Amino acid sequence: MKKIVTIIGARPQIIKSSAISRAIQSDFKEELNEVIVHTGQHYDENMSKVFFEEMNIPTPNYNLQVGSGSHGSQTAKMIEGLEAIFLSEKPDGVVVYGDTNSTIAGALAAAKIHIPVIHIEAGLRSFNKSMPEELNRISCDHMSTLLFTPTKTGIENLQREGFSLEHSSVATIDSPNVYHCGDIMYDNSLHFAKVANNFQTVMEAEKLSENGFILMTVHRDSNTDIAENMEAIFTSVDELSKKYQIEFVLPLHPRTKSKLKSQLSDSTYDQVIENERIKIIDPVGFMDIITLERNARMLVTDSGGLQKESFFFEKPCVILREQTEWIEIVNNGNAILTGANAGRIMSAFSTLFEQDNFTYPSYYGDGNAAKFICQKIVDEIE
Ligand code: UD1
Ligand code: UDP
């Protein structure tokens, strides 16, 4: 039996982790013992607790409760807490997801004391190092022992950075094994789409109809922390909702919600609040977001997760960023990058709204990525 410590902290990691926990429960109970550590990066009930309940994720064995803070202070608290746990738990490997501060803290704390790091969602790049996530993911990849890329682009990026695609029977930090295995979030979307059929509450509560609304989220620091960008985004939404006479539903990340008033001009803020077609609601659970994604006419987002889920549920997507790590959906015409530029947002929206000949190739695997990952951990970590 091997012991792994899984690090979660931000909302998308909690969601992602359910795929591996489910695979362990169904197929690897005898081979893998999972200890879960929540760093406490996200802590509001609707950013954390809701997912454990509805996605059947085991309660974390530890919660560091680091909360919010500057990058340095938040990451440092995590590293300190995680190191102590690793020293007492003595795991065979540490699993980290994605590219958040919880990811880099887990990887750094483990690698420095010679515990193999298993990076799920490796190899993704925006090629924009002003993003905190880009620094986190590059550093994490280069201290990992097992790397699992969700896309072909991911493995090509790693190869370009010098990773060998040869596999050894035992992986080490100096001779890591890299696999392209598909996206565990595709596993999750397939699995929970069946369950979410029963969760119509959000549609009823918000009085929404199929294809009658646009689902939108915004939370990237490049959008929320620059007033001009917030202004461009929200002016566009206001105009689009009027031009197309369609509702926008925004389950807003607390980061964005707390900055609406201070970042928007008074007139835009008033217009947004008074516009009955703009519904700003609290973040919702995963069953509700899946229901919204499936029923929306289109998505507008800067979220990595929502970009892909738009593709999984065959909806076009306006991406409020200048680059994306999920470049295949842009190259295939399912999504358009607009940054926070009002003209580009309006034009991308119109193009996608009026088009109906999209294709959805299988870029993200076959829904069995989590089982593949578990098997490699069992076989290749010493
Ligand atoms: C983090 C990740 C980002 C990911 C996002 C997913 C980093 C550097 N960023 O960004 O990559 O896309 O999570 O959602 O790790 N807040 C609350 N309640 C909470 C959590 C946060 O009010 O439960 C507020 C606080 O004001 C906090 C702010 O949101 O300062 C930002 O939170 P933080 O975790 O630092 O970054 P995110 O923007 O959530
Ligand atoms: N999500 C959710 N409720 C919401 C908004 C998002 O469950 O109100 C889910 C979404 O479906 C996706 C994940 O959270 O799986 C994405 O998280 P987020 O947008 O916070 O981060 P990112 O993916 O950009 O890192």
Side-chain angles (χ1 to χ4, degrees), residues 131-382:
M131 285 180 76
E133 292 85 358
E134 185 76 350
L135 301 176
N136 290 343
R137 53 173 93 95
I138 295 174
S139 333
C140 178
D141 280 340
H142 287 265
M143 55 184 102
S144 293
T145 290
L146 274 181
L147 296 90
F148 296 100
T149 78
T151 56
K152 193 164 156 281
T153 316
I155 202 155
E156 288 165 359
N157 289 338
L158 291 175
Q159 203 173 6
R160 245 194 330 272
E161 288 174 21
F163 282 87
S164 158
L165 301 189
E166 303 280 307
H167 296 139
S168 347
S169 56
V170 174
T172 65
I173 189 168
D174 288 317
S175 177
N177 283 352
V178 177
Y179 292 99
H180 167 209
C181 64
D183 187 355
I184 52 164
M185 277 311 294
Y186 186 54
D187 298 16
N188 270 340
S189 290
L190 288 180
H191 178 81
F192 287 105
K194 292 184 211 134
V195 185
N197 280 334
N198 307 324
F199 284 72
Q200 288 301 317
T201 46
V202 68
M203 295 288 291
E204 282 161 21
E206 301 304 329
K207 301 190 179 58
L208 300 170
S209 60
E210 191 178 349
N211 288 324
F213 65 98
I214 308 297
L215 175 63
M216 172 161 171
T217 72
V218 190
H219 76 274
R220 293 281 156 193
D221 60 356
S222 55
N223 287 328
T224 62
D225 294 7
I226 301 175
E228 191 188 327
N229 290 351
M230 279 275 266
E231 181 78 12
I233 291 170
F234 279 89
T235 332
S236 309
V237 176
D238 185 53
E239 275 184 48
L240 285 167
S241 73
K242 289 170 182 155
K243 178 171 174 197
Y244 288 93
Q245 306 215 337
I246 191 157
E247 280 179 316
F248 279 71
V249 178
L250 291 89
L252 266 199
H253 190 293
R255 170 179 205 125
T256 321
K257 202 167 190 182
S258 69
K259 292 190 174 176
L260 270 187
K261 183 119 183 88
S262 59
Q263 296 289 56
L264 295 180
S265 64
D266 290 346
S267 61
T268 302
Y269 180 80
D270 291 345
Q271 263 169 16
V272 167
I273 297 300
E274 282 159 21
N275 184 338
E276 285 179 357
R277 292 202 181 91
I278 301 180
K279 288 191 163 164
I280 295 182
I281 60 175
D282 285 333
V284 296
F286 194 65
M287 303 310 139
D288 278 348
I289 201 87
I290 285 191
T291 304
L292 291 173
E293 288 166 351
R294 282 164 137 189
N295 285 290
R297 169 77 193 268
M298 222 168 100
L299 272 66
V300 176
T301 192
D302 60 8
S303 156
L306 265 89
Q307 286 173 44
K308 253 180 318 156
E309 289 158 18
S310 73
F311 185 87
F312 299 160
F313 294 114
E314 306 198 347
K315 307 286 174 173
C317 184
V318 173
I319 304 177
L320 302 169
R321 286 184 46 197
E322 293 292 351
Q323 312 86 14
T324 178
E325 304 77 43
W326 308 101
I327 192 66
E328 357 0 74
I329 65 174
V330 173
N331 291 341
N332 195 51
N334 307 88
I336 299 178
L337 291 164
T338 63
N341 176 292
R344 287 164 63 197
I345 296 170
M346 303 286 291
S347 131
F349 187 95
S350 303
T351 304
L352 294 171
F353 197 84
E354 280 152 24
Q355 193 183 325
D356 60 5
N357 58 343
F358 298 103
T359 61
Y360 294 89
S362 51
Y363 294 130
Y364 299 103
D366 60 3
N368 289 306
K371 287 184 186 164
F372 179 93
I373 291 170
C374 289
Q375 191 62 58
K376 293 297 172 196
I377 298 175
V378 170
D379 293 342
E380 297 178 4
I381 289 289
E382 205 153 54

Side-chain angles (χ1 to χ4, degrees), residues 31-93:
E31 288 120 316
L32 289 175
N33 169 22
E34 184 183 36
V35 173
I36 301 177
V37 182
H38 193 324
T39 62
Q41 177 169 354
H42 286 175
Y43 44 85
D44 287 350
E45 184 155 337
N46 55 24
M47 296 293 286
S48 174
K49 188 162 179 261
V50 61
F51 303 106
F52 290 92
E53 287 166 358
E54 64 175 8
M55 301 178 84
N56 211 11
I57 304 167
T59 305
N61 303 75
Y62 300 88
N63 190 326
L64 295 175
Q65 296 186 318
V66 299
S68 305
S70 69
H71 286 283
S73 128
Q74 186 184 54
T75 312
K77 283 184 200 149
M78 290 177 190
I79 293 175
E80 193 175 8
L82 290 171
E83 185 183 58
I85 294 171
F86 297 162
L87 289 171
S88 78
E89 288 284 349
K90 300 187 178 49
D92 298 295

